[in-house]
Amino acid sequence: MKNITDVPKLYDLLYDNLEEDIMVYTEMLKGRTKVIEYGAGTGRITIPLAQKGIKVVALDNSDAMLNKLREKITDKIEEYIEIVNGDMVTYKHIEKVPAIIIPFSTFNYLLDKSEQFECIKNVSNNLLPDGEVIIELILKKAFHSLAKDDKLVLTQTIKNGDFLYEYWTNTKYNDTTNVVTQVREFRVFDKENNLIDKYDNIIWQNNILSLDEMSKLLEANGLNVEEVYGVNPNREDAFGNYDSECEYLFIKARRKNEVNS
Ligand SMILES: C[S@@+](CC[C@H](N)C(=O)[O-])C[C@H]1O[C@@H](n2cnc3c(N)ncnc32)[C@H](O)[C@@H]1O
């Protein structure tokens, strides 16, 4: 089995058009000059932030994803992006920073509770006193159809140049561990509708945390939860108050002054 981060072009195919969260980060980071992005991936958020003149430390533990990001960096924004191959659980930046973001479902990639704790401790250690962290979590409501067997379901068709990609998934949720396991397959068709390629057995796993769990992790590591928002695609303004129907959750927390590191 491969991970989706081993095939960055498929990652971009799925998520390159996603823009709403970029506006959230640029708005929430207004006035900040430097940020570490944990799990920067192929730069979907890194690049727009750099274009706004924010220095971004793009931290990721996938060479493939970071190489894709490298391809996208133009001379104009080069000075604003520092690429680091490292683990967000242990990474220690050379200096403390005013802001850290953990976008999309990156924090949910940590399946182990002790790694989650260590990661938030690490966030606290990398932040300046009064610095802020913004974490976005995926919630159970984001998974609309859970599978009872191993059948793949056609989830999306994506046009890419002359090719059509069918995106098939099988999603299971373990109620004991709160881990979502999604098996993904991409089938590629040419203009004449011939199947010309297939990427199968791609696995994606996320640990689903509640607002309460995340708040406790933050508070235990000297970070005060200050703002909470949710994304509910069924309402007119998807981004807004957090409620039980939300599919994503944004939490902004501030490092307390008295934390020792
Ligand atoms: C959902 S993607 C987010 C990418 C990008 N920030 C975005 O919003 O499109 C999660 C990223 O986190 C990275 N990642 C997962 N676990 C990590 C870890 N322990 N340390 C650093 N990066 C990690 C993956 O390689 C992947 O690129």
Side-chain angles (χ1 to χ4, degrees), residues 5 11 37 39-41 44-45 60-62 65 86-88 106 109:
T5 54
Y11 182 89
E37 181 183 358
R44 190 178 62 82
I45 292 164
D60 206 286
N61 66 355
S62 160
M65 295 291 272
D87 187 338
M88 64 179 172
T106 299
Y109 275 56

Side-chain angles (χ1 to χ4, degrees), residues 9 13 157-165 188-189:
K9 75 167 185 183
L13 191 73
T157 51
I158 309 161
K159 184 112 179 59
N160 185 30
D162 284 343
F163 305 103
L164 188 81
Y165 283 69
V188 191
F189 297 85

Side-chain angles (χ1 to χ4, degrees), residues 8 12 37 39-48 56-60 62-74 77 81-84:
D12 279 358
E37 181 183 358
T42 60
R44 190 178 62 82
I45 292 164
T46 317
I47 288 172
V56 188
V57 178
L59 174 71
D60 206 286
S62 160
D63 260 336
M65 295 291 272
L66 291 177
N67 284 337
K68 191 83 182 157
L69 164 58
R70 279 190 188 93
E71 286 171 18
K72 298 179 188 173
I73 299 178
T74 57
I77 54 169
I81 300 177
E82 180 190 343
I83 293 180
V84 179

Side-chain angles (χ1 to χ4, degrees), residues 124-171:
S124 189
N125 287 337
N126 277 324
L127 278 178
L128 283 166
D130 227 30
E132 292 163 334
V133 58
I134 305 166
I135 303 175
E136 183 183 353
L137 298 175
I138 193 167
L139 300 168
K140 195 176 173 185
K141 287 278 175 192
F143 304 97
H144 299 275
S145 52
L146 296 174
K148 294 195 171 54
D149 53 33
D150 292 335
K151 276 197 201 109
L152 291 163
V153 179
L154 180 60
T155 307
Q156 205 179 329
T157 51
I158 309 161
K159 184 112 179 59
N160 185 30
D162 284 343
F163 305 103
L164 188 81
Y165 283 69
E166 282 184 359
Y167 173 50
W168 294 74
T169 59
N170 175 281
T171 313

